[in-house]
Amino acid sequence: MTEMKKILVLPGDGIGPEIVAEALKVLDCLKSDFGLEVETEQGLVGGAAYDETGQPLPEETLERARAADAVLLGAVGGHKWESLDIAVRPEKGLLGLRAGLNLFANLRPAILYPQLAEASTLKPEVVAGLDIMIVRELTGGIYFGQPRGVRTLEDGEREGFNTLVYRESEIRRIGKVAFEIAAKRDGRVCSVDKANVLECTELWREVMTDLGRHHPDVELSHMYVDNAAMQLVRAPKQFDVMVTTNMFGDILSDAAAMLTGSIGMLPSASLNENGQGMYEPIHGSAPDIAGQGVANPLATILSVAMMLRYSFDQGALADRIETAVGAVLDQGLRTPDIMQDGKRQVGTAEMGDAVVAALGSD
Ligand code: IPM
Ligand code: MG
């Protein structure tokens, strides 16, 4: 790398600071031992930011995120902030970053480490070899559609409403990402919609079909979201790349995460048109175990690998992290969420240290 890259680190809430600390150990090791040229600075987001500034996404955080080459985020949210007005809840901090940086493409790889085949709630033969890439649209759809709110009707009853809306151009650009990724993988895209009921996703299907014509190298299929949820637990290996709307992607990626043994294993990348990205584990802030040093840091560490691959063009170092994660699993180390008989249970910091140790051993 020729210039120093800047990473804005946003630990957030709950287990966020604990897992991010382990990811930073990995980054430090890559800096000191492998010549990675990055510098990190920390910022506030989520409940932590609200407590300090009254806003889940202070303007300063958004500005620093825009100026950074990449953002590493832990998690946001917690019981403490649940009764706040929805406009200032921690989750708004995350959504504001996604919208503010235009991070429309969310990549969520569900890969089963063979060492964890027995840790999944599904039969090992159903999940062995699993390698799915979920491409979730992240800045549109019902998460951001207007109008939205809760209103009181003439008869005095309250009514809540949200709007599912996609412009053709939004569908096209996320579809393009999915096709391009599939072309470098197994060459198959499954577009997930609810075109039998929702006009908006009827358009989604039309645009995906049109894109498919321009990508004869990629095999396109369509699936209704209810069926896709079923197929994910019935026969998940049929999927290569899945592309879907913001909300369907939110739901399906949690389901896919469990196929891999634990939601504590899944990283994500959220990218904009310029390759700028935000990297975070797909799991939440897990307030029930926060502060206990037992959370699984591997999804966050694997998110650093995605950062190196997608934002910094450092594929070899990304591979190195992923290999190191495999090595610690081979050593039998397990945080409680992936604990199995005969393995050794470790805490968050010990898991992070083990990954760092494995980074250096070829
Ligand atoms: C995710 C999370 C977020 C989402 C929440 C925390 C706003 O569930 O990244 O999947 O719904 O997108
Ligand atoms: Mg989610």
Side-chain angles (χ1 to χ4, degrees):
M1 256 185 300
T2 47
E3 57 186 312
M4 185 67 93
K5 300 279 188 185
K6 237 194 298 164
I7 303 172
L8 177 65
V9 179
L10 303 173
D13 310 320
I15 59 171
E18 299 162 54
I19 52 177
V20 162
E22 302 313 309
L24 290 179
K25 286 182 191 168
V26 169
L27 269 174
D28 280 342
C29 172
L30 294 179
K31 279 162 69 175
S32 60
D33 295 5
F34 297 95
L36 180 68
E37 294 187 2
V38 296
E39 57 186 21
T40 57
E41 50 172 273
Q42 301 239 352
L44 288 171
V45 74
Y50 176 82
D51 287 349
E52 200 129 312
T53 69
Q55 291 297 328
L57 179 60
E59 189 56 39
E60 191 204 334
T61 298
L62 183 57
E63 271 165 29
R64 287 163 71 200
R66 286 199 177 110
D69 295 295
V71 178
L72 178 66
L73 186 132
V76 296
H79 309 307
K80 185 177 165 194
W81 303 284
E82 266 162 22
S83 57
L84 288 178
D85 187 276
I86 199 164
V88 289
R89 270 193 225 146
E91 288 78 4
K92 275 285 178 213
L94 179 56
L95 297 173
L97 278 168
R98 290 174 180 171
L101 297 176
N102 208 7
L103 304 170
F104 71 93
N106 183 218
L107 314 185
R108 299 189 160 192
I111 294 170
L112 180 77
Y113 275 88
Q115 300 90 331
L116 296 182
E118 302 279 345
S120 173
T121 48
L122 275 80
K123 294 192 193 105
E125 64 268 27
V126 174
V127 292
L130 183 87
D131 182 357
I132 303 175
M133 178 65 91
I134 297 183
V135 178
R136 170 188 175 192
E137 199 292 325
L138 203 61
T139 51
I142 199 165
Y143 269 53
F144 292 94
Q146 296 286 351
R148 61 192 297 153
V150 177
R151 62 192 161 210
T152 303
L153 299 173
E154 273 172 16
D155 64 4
E157 196 184 354
R158 286 182 308 154
E159 176 182 74
F161 56 102
N162 289 89
T163 305
L164 172 61
V165 55
Y166 271 114
R167 278 172 179 256
E168 199 172 340
S169 54
E170 289 176 291
I171 304 171
R172 199 169 289 280
R173 70 177 179 179
I174 192 68
K176 238 175 121 242
V177 170
F179 276 96
E180 280 164 12
I181 290 176
K184 291 188 207 144
R185 294 172 43 107
D186 203 35
R188 292 178 294 123
V189 168
C190 178
S191 169
V192 177
D193 61 38
K194 189 71 187 173
N196 50 344
V197 178
L198 304 173
E199 289 83 350
C200 179
T201 68
E202 206 181 2
L203 177 66
W204 178 281
R205 185 175 285 219
E206 233 177 75
V207 174
M208 290 294 165
T209 303
D210 184 52
L211 273 173
R213 284 192 206 102
H214 296 97
H215 291 270
D217 49 325
V218 173
E219 182 192 311
L220 171 67
S221 61
H222 304 275
M223 204 177 267
Y224 297 139
V225 64
D226 48 352
N227 186 24
M230 181 179 76
Q231 296 299 334
L232 265 179
V233 290
R234 192 188 74 86
K237 282 186 273 180
Q238 69 185 282
F239 297 111
D240 179 25
V241 174
M242 301 175 91
V243 61
T244 191
T245 63
N246 204 339
M247 187 160 76
F248 293 166
D250 178 46
I251 298 166
L252 293 179
S253 60
D254 267 34
M258 275 320 288
L259 307 174
T260 71
S262 165
I263 196 163
M265 294 299 299
L266 247 70
S268 79
S270 307
L271 307 171
N272 66 20
E273 311 254 15
N274 312 321
Q276 202 186 10
M278 180 160 81
Y279 299 83
E280 53 172 322
I282 83 152
H283 60 68
S285 59
D288 51 319
I289 58 164
Q292 298 173 22
V294 296
N296 185 347
L298 294 179
T300 316
I301 290 172
L302 291 167
S303 299
V304 171
M306 292 192 86
M307 175 188 292
L308 295 178
R309 183 169 292 126
Y310 290 99
S311 282
F312 298 159
D313 200 18
Q314 294 275 341
L317 289 183
D319 290 346
R320 184 172 281 276
I321 295 177
E322 287 160 1
T323 304
V325 168
V328 302
L329 295 175
D330 279 337
Q331 292 160 23
L333 304 190
R334 301 284 188 274
T335 42
D337 59 313
I338 48 175
M339 186 56 191
Q340 300 158 261
D341 281 350
K343 304 298 178 193
R344 190 158 78 77
Q345 190 162 315
V346 296
T348 311
E350 199 178 337
M351 186 60 110
D353 291 340
V355 174
V356 169
L359 278 177
S361 54
D362 283 305

